[in-house]
Amino acid sequence: MAFIFGLFAVMVVAKTVLIPLSLALLLSFILYPVVKRLEKWGLNKLFSAFITLLVLFALIGGSITLFSTEIMSLSHKFQDFTGKIMNTLSDAVVFVNRNVNFVDELQRDELVEEGKDYLKESSGTLIQNTFSGTASFLTGLISTIIFTFLFLIYRVGLTKAIVAFGDDKNKIKIFRMLKNIQSVGKQYLSGMFLLILILGCANSLGLLIIGIDSPFFFGFLAAVLSIIPFVGTTIGAIIPVLYAFMTSDSLWIPIAVIILFWAIQIIESNFLNPKIVGSSLNVNALAAILSLLIGASVWGVAGMVLFLPFAAILKVVCEEFDDLKPIAMLISDDISSDTNTKSDSFKWIETIKGWFKK
């Protein structure tokens, strides 16, 4: 118990270093095959890692540039959004007060003006927080890239050092465990990348058909947010729904956006995610929810993203040692694989999944 509390204390205090280090570890898992392929082509270890990270940095920089351009193009509509939001909220408050009568002689125009004054006063704090958040993000991004580069060039020495901690009878187990951890991390990240690509194209195509401005921006933004388990997809859907509500005069446009994301989320939750990402993790729902809550309390949004693959890695570690296998059983999805407890009304889902397996 003391070790667990001490571990969480260190994770909270040192999160500025541990978050980029954890991201770099997962990135090194997926970039390792690329670096190894370049080394087989005759490039040395240092140059192979540098070229791989340069391509990755170019992709990340291009994505950030595209998103920033779309955000700047939409920023001129923010004033119209503010006025429409204030008018809608004021109408709602006046309507409630008219029926409940909390405040005597409450006027709509006074509420609108007070709301606009509040937004003007808080704009300075908002800008300050934006610059602070951007600086922290860039610092974390640069640290992650540096750590990834070091992991890739020192991977052999790090592997030998970790294996050397075990005694002679456990060295093979530890090496096999490291290989399995690398495989889980690579499959998870590659699966998430493929899932984001599929969801981004589906979201963008649906928004384009509905007639939403900047459909590719909102579509891929919602897809990127889906990396946050359970809540990311909902947050990604709320943003285009609010945008559709603020920019369209017809109520059917935001309703159509809601139906679109609802249908895509059903397909993603029941078919795409289990087939593309879930098969690589093999973590049951209880362990996934606990990892989400613990990660959010320890590292915030970064913890919500990282602790799910960490749970899968913990399962891999525990499977290699007899004393820790009960923990692996608690995390594994096999704990809920009893076919006798399944309802007959859900057999059609298993049938469809069987078609994909074939």
Side-chain angles (χ1 to χ4, degrees):
M1 293 295 293
F3 171 76
I4 293 174
F5 281 113
L7 177 63
F8 278 103
V10 171
M11 292 174 68
V12 172
V13 173
K15 65 180 181 180
T16 305
V17 177
L18 292 178
I19 291 176
L21 201 64
S22 302
L23 286 172
L25 183 63
L26 292 178
L27 283 176
S28 64
F29 288 157
I30 194 173
L31 295 179
Y32 167 70
V34 180
V35 174
K36 192 174 181 180
R37 178 61 61 88
L38 292 177
E39 291 176 358
K40 288 183 178 180
W41 289 348
L43 299 178
N44 59 39
K45 186 181 300 183
L46 189 68
F47 199 53
S48 299
F50 177 77
I51 291 178
T52 304
L53 284 176
L54 184 64
V55 174
L56 177 65
F57 188 77
L59 292 175
I60 295 176
S63 301
I64 294 176
T65 302
L66 290 176
F67 272 85
S68 301
T69 303
E70 290 291 336
I71 292 174
M72 292 300 296
S73 65
L74 295 174
S75 61
H76 68 279
K77 298 182 180 179
F78 178 75
Q79 189 67 31
D80 296 335
F81 293 165
T82 304
K84 194 167 184 178
I85 292 173
M86 290 306 305
N87 291 331
T88 303
L89 292 177
S90 299
D91 291 337
V93 171
V94 170
F95 175 78
V96 173
N97 185 76
R98 187 180 302 157
N99 292 274
V100 183
N101 196 18
F102 287 111
V103 180
D104 295 332
E105 298 181 357
L106 183 64
Q107 299 295 326
R108 175 182 179 278
D109 295 337
E110 294 180 0
L111 286 175
V112 174
E113 293 300 326
E114 290 179 2
K116 290 181 179 179
D117 293 338
Y118 172 77
L119 290 176
K120 290 179 181 178
E121 292 175 0
S122 60
S123 59
T125 304
L126 179 62
I127 293 174
Q128 182 180 358
N129 292 335
T130 301
F131 277 108
S132 177
T134 303
S136 300
F137 172 76
L138 293 177
T139 302
L141 179 62
I142 294 173
S143 301
T144 300
I145 293 175
I146 293 174
F147 288 144
T148 305
F149 178 75
L150 295 177
F151 278 138
L152 290 174
I153 63 176
Y154 294 133
R155 63 183 187 272
V156 176
L158 291 173
T159 302
K160 291 181 178 179
I162 295 175
V163 172
F165 278 104
D167 50 20
D168 293 336
K169 65 178 181 179
N170 287 325
K171 288 184 184 298
I172 298 177
K173 284 186 177 182
I174 295 175
F175 182 76
R176 183 171 63 243
M177 177 190 70
L178 294 177
K179 294 289 291 183
N180 292 334
I181 289 174
Q182 190 270 335
S183 177
V184 168
K186 182 185 70 173
Q187 291 177 9
Y188 174 74
L189 289 182
S190 59
M192 284 303 305
F193 177 78
L194 180 59
L195 184 64
I196 289 173
L197 186 62
I198 294 174
L199 291 179
C201 293
N203 294 337
S204 303
L205 181 60
L207 294 176
L208 181 64
I209 294 174
I210 293 173
I212 301 297
D213 295 335
S214 304
F216 292 97
F217 169 72
F218 289 112
F220 278 93
L221 177 62
V224 170
L225 290 175
S226 66
I227 65 176
I228 303 175
F230 302 106
V231 298
T233 306
T234 303
I235 297 174
I238 290 175
I239 297 174
V241 169
L242 291 177
Y243 180 81
F245 177 75
M246 293 300 163
T247 56
S248 60
D249 297 329
S250 175
L251 188 61
W252 292 107
I253 300 297
I255 291 177
V257 176
I258 293 174
I259 295 174
L260 169 69
F261 280 94
W262 173 74
I264 292 177
Q265 185 173 2
I266 289 178
I267 298 174
E268 182 265 339
S269 300
N270 292 282
F271 299 101
L272 294 179
N273 201 313
K275 295 297 294 184
I276 298 175
V277 180
S279 59
S280 63
L281 293 180
N282 194 24
V283 174
N284 63 66
L286 176 61
I289 294 174
L290 286 176
S291 65
L292 175 68
L293 296 176
I294 295 173
S297 62
V298 175
W299 286 350
V301 177
M304 297 171 71
V305 175
L306 291 172
F307 271 52
L308 183 58
F310 283 174
I313 291 174
L314 177 62
K315 180 180 71 68
V316 171
V317 173
C318 294
E319 286 175 343
E320 296 295 333
F321 302 95
D322 294 335
D323 295 338
L324 299 178
K325 282 185 178 180
I327 299 177
M329 294 173 61
L330 290 174
I331 298 175
S332 176
D333 194 35
D334 295 336
I335 194 174
S336 61
S337 62
D338 187 4
T339 56
N340 295 326
T341 60
K342 292 181 179 179
S343 174
D344 292 338
S345 59
F346 292 98
K347 285 185 177 179
W348 63 275
I349 296 179
E350 299 299 328
T351 303
I352 296 176
K353 288 183 179 179
W355 296 345
F356 286 99
K357 289 181 181 179
K358 293 178 182 180

